């Protein structure tokens, strides 16, 4: 069986944000085994799985990504939506917009220190639309 749920994530400022609890709160009861897929319907944010304990990890991610793809690069052409927009598109492509997690014993089978991140690459991204698909 396949279930699909669309919902919005709360608007967040630029940065890397743990959203595991918000995602779980939007889901129905999970099957005992299966596969969970989460897709972000945007081109200037991303999804990833990483460290869920130390907030310094999220700060370091933001620093590294801003160093990799800084704003105001003189050769960027797509600048009409502001200096954070094209870098946000590039960062989104680097991270990706979907994740998959196995479902075991009715729970997302994340590792001990893993959490789901929304990577918000715009200064003011607004609410973000996601589609969760549960395969059982």
């Amino acid at each position: 069986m396949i279930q699909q749920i669309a919902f919005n994530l709360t608007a967040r400022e630029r940065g890397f944000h743990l959203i595991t609890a918000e995602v779980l709160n939007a889901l129905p009861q999970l099957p005992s085994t299966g596969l969970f897929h989460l897709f972000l319907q945007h081109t200037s944010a991303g999804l990833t799985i990483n460290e869920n304990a130390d907030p310094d990890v999220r700060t370091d991610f933001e620093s590294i990504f801003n160093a990799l793809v800084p704003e105001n690069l003189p050769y960027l052409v797509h600048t009409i939506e502001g200096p954070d927009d094209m870098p946000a598109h590039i960062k989104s492509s680097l991270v990706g917009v979907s994740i998959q997690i196995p479902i075991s014993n009715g729970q997302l089978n994340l590792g001990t220190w893993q959490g789901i991140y929304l990577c918000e690459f715009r200064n003011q991204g607004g609410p973000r639309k996601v589609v969760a698909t549960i395969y059982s």
Side-chain angles (χ1 to χ4, degrees), residues 25-126:
N25 287 336
L27 299 179
Q29 182 175 353
L30 295 174
S32 58
T33 60
L35 185 64
F36 174 73
H37 181 266
L38 189 63
F39 177 75
L40 179 69
Q41 296 181 302
H42 297 274
T43 61
S44 57
L47 293 172
T48 194
I49 297 171
N50 216 294
E51 163 81 47
N52 69 357
D54 186 351
D56 289 345
V57 171
R58 298 189 294 275
T59 300
D60 290 344
F61 263 114
E62 177 71 7
S63 298
I64 291 292
F65 270 78
N66 289 335
L68 286 172
V69 189
E71 292 182 8
N72 299 308
L73 293 170
Y75 48 81
L76 293 180
V77 177
H78 178 74
T79 59
I80 194 165
E81 295 181 52
D84 65 328
D85 188 48
M86 190 61 220
H89 293 312
I90 294 167
K91 293 171 185 177
S92 175
S93 287
L94 290 173
V95 171
V97 294
S98 68
I99 58 169
Q100 292 186 86
I101 303 169
I103 300 168
S104 302
N105 301 315
Q107 298 181 15
L108 296 182
N109 197 346
L110 291 164
T112 301
W113 305 111
Q114 290 182 320
I116 303 170
Y117 281 27
L118 171 68
C119 313
E120 180 55 69
F121 298 125
R122 293 298 308 265
N123 292 330
Q124 301 295 325

Side-chain angles (χ1 to χ4, degrees), residues 7-36:
F7 59 96
N8 288 334
L9 297 171
T10 305
R12 290 171 168 82
E13 63 187 20
R14 183 167 157 168
F16 288 74
H17 307 279
L18 275 171
I19 60 166
T20 310
E22 187 175 356
V23 169
L24 288 172
N25 287 336
L27 299 179
Q29 182 175 353
L30 295 174
S32 58
T33 60
L35 185 64
F36 174 73

Side-chain angles (χ1 to χ4, degrees), residues 1-4 31 33-37 100 103 133-136:
M1 183 168 88
I2 299 174
Q3 291 180 279
Q4 200 165 70
T33 60
L35 185 64
F36 174 73
H37 181 266
Q100 292 186 86
I103 300 168
T133 306
I134 300 165
Y135 302 88
S136 59

